[in-house]
Amino acid sequence: MDTNLSGESKEVTKNCKSTRNYSIEFLRFFFAIGVVFGHCYCIFYMNDSPSYSFFFHNACVDFFFVISGYFMACHFEARKAEDKYRTYVDYNLLRIVRLWPLLFVSALEGIIFELAFNLLSRGQFYFSTNIWGGFFFLGGLNNFDAVNVIWYISALFWCGLLLSSFLCFNRKIAICCCFPLLAFCSLSIMNMWNCSNLYSIPLVFNWLSTGLIRGICGLIFGIESFYIALFAKDKLYIFSKKAITLFSVLIEIGFILLVCYLIFKQHMNNKEFLMFFFTAALLIVFNLNTQKIFSIFNKKFFEFFGRISVWIYVLHFYILKTMFYIPKFRLLPPPVVYSSVIAISIFISIFAYYIISKITAGIKRFCLANY
């Protein structure tokens, strides 16, 4: 692995850009819709329809953690190869610029819905100041009345700061030793606490939660998948094309079977953690450009939908909560409710994507010009 890690060049930049194929964008959009579908079930039907259940959105979140780690490593290597990386602060500055709009919008939505919930259900207009710590530091997964999604963006930010410090200061030891050890410890802790699904256990007076551990684990799987593929790319000549094709197809079939199982399972269990392994393996296949089944999704059409997937994730829950308070809408047939929520979420996310991208571009230009 040392040979590939020490040979930063334009070839690495080319590799990083080429790995962002459209099959990945399709999956980002697919799992974003899975999150919308799952939360729609939880809000509208979980208490009224005991005959069926839908918890696939838990595994969808794991997918987003892994793929975020993958792109984190990819961007890190690209910046080093282009000689744009200088310091730890330099690397994380652009990460902050990318994440702050998501953090701001999520926080604003959470505050608004916390205030609205207290006003409608308790007749009081206030915000619970005792949960501010958990609001920004990963503790707010289950203890918010608004059940807001800021915890995911918070996890990306804080866990990203931690793991990027390993990459910046001792990359080789981190990739070969520290990251695998952290992933093993994270999985062990989640298993001991019986929280390998997305349900969170508060820690440190609700300032932290097991969401921190889950975020670290998912990001590590994504980072390691990138470097394993980078290492394996020069070793493929050892194997025949048929063997590589067979390996890739088996990984793709395994991923599809896991997704089907998680979609149709009727209760929460700890099988979601398998998404870490299968998503990482699939990303390796994509990085090596050996995918066969998923090649049908390698179309430029999916690029835009992949880009708005993060906004679908951030905005959909509050769209759901708003529509839930419309009595006539709740009386519609479930297929109409699901399709309407998904369509509205996509439309609003496209609008948010264009607005925020303009704002972010301006801030990025300012940061690069003054740093």
Side-chain angles (χ1 to χ4, degrees), residues 18-28 286 291 294 297-304:
S18 66
T19 55
R20 197 181 180 108
N21 59 48
Y22 304 127
S23 299
I24 295 178
E25 304 300 338
F26 162 76
L27 287 177
R28 293 172 72 188
F286 285 162
Q291 69 271 15
F294 279 93
F297 301 113
N298 194 14
K299 311 294 182 185
K300 190 173 177 60
F301 170 78
F302 294 110
E303 181 180 18
F304 177 75

Side-chain angles (χ1 to χ4, degrees), residues 93-109 150 153 157 310-311 314-315 352-353 355-361 363-364:
L93 186 62
L94 290 182
R95 288 192 70 252
I96 294 172
V97 172
R98 287 197 303 269
L99 289 176
W100 83 263
L102 304 178
L103 188 66
F104 175 79
V105 171
S106 300
L108 182 63
E109 290 176 320
I150 192 175
I153 309 302
F157 178 75
V310 66
W311 285 107
V314 170
L315 297 173
Y353 169 78
I355 296 298
I356 300 299
S357 62
K358 297 295 183 182
I359 297 173
T360 304
I363 294 174
K364 188 179 295 185

Side-chain angles (χ1 to χ4, degrees), residues 175-189:
I175 294 167
C176 299
C177 181
C178 299
F179 286 163
L181 182 61
L182 275 174
F184 175 79
C185 292
S186 299
L187 287 172
S188 299
I189 291 172

Side-chain angles (χ1 to χ4, degrees), residues 215-228:
I216 288 175
C217 188
L219 288 174
I220 286 175
F221 269 84
I223 293 171
E224 289 291 290
S225 68
F226 173 81
Y227 284 108
I228 290 173

Side-chain angles (χ1 to χ4, degrees), residues 6 65 73 77 91 101 170 184 209 231 289-291 337 367:
S6 61
F65 273 124
E77 288 300 317
Y91 170 68
N170 210 329
F184 175 79
S209 76
F231 170 74
N289 288 317
T290 58
Q291 69 271 15
V337 172
C367 291

Side-chain angles (χ1 to χ4, degrees), residues 185-221:
C185 292
S186 299
L187 287 172
S188 299
I189 291 172
M190 287 190 289
N191 184 61
M192 285 189 298
W193 286 345
N194 196 31
C195 60
S196 294
N197 54 54
L198 200 58
Y199 188 80
S200 180
I201 299 175
L203 306 171
V204 194
F205 307 107
N206 287 333
W207 280 66
L208 298 173
S209 76
T210 50
L212 171 68
I213 298 172
R214 193 168 200 86
I216 288 175
C217 188
L219 288 174
I220 286 175
F221 269 84

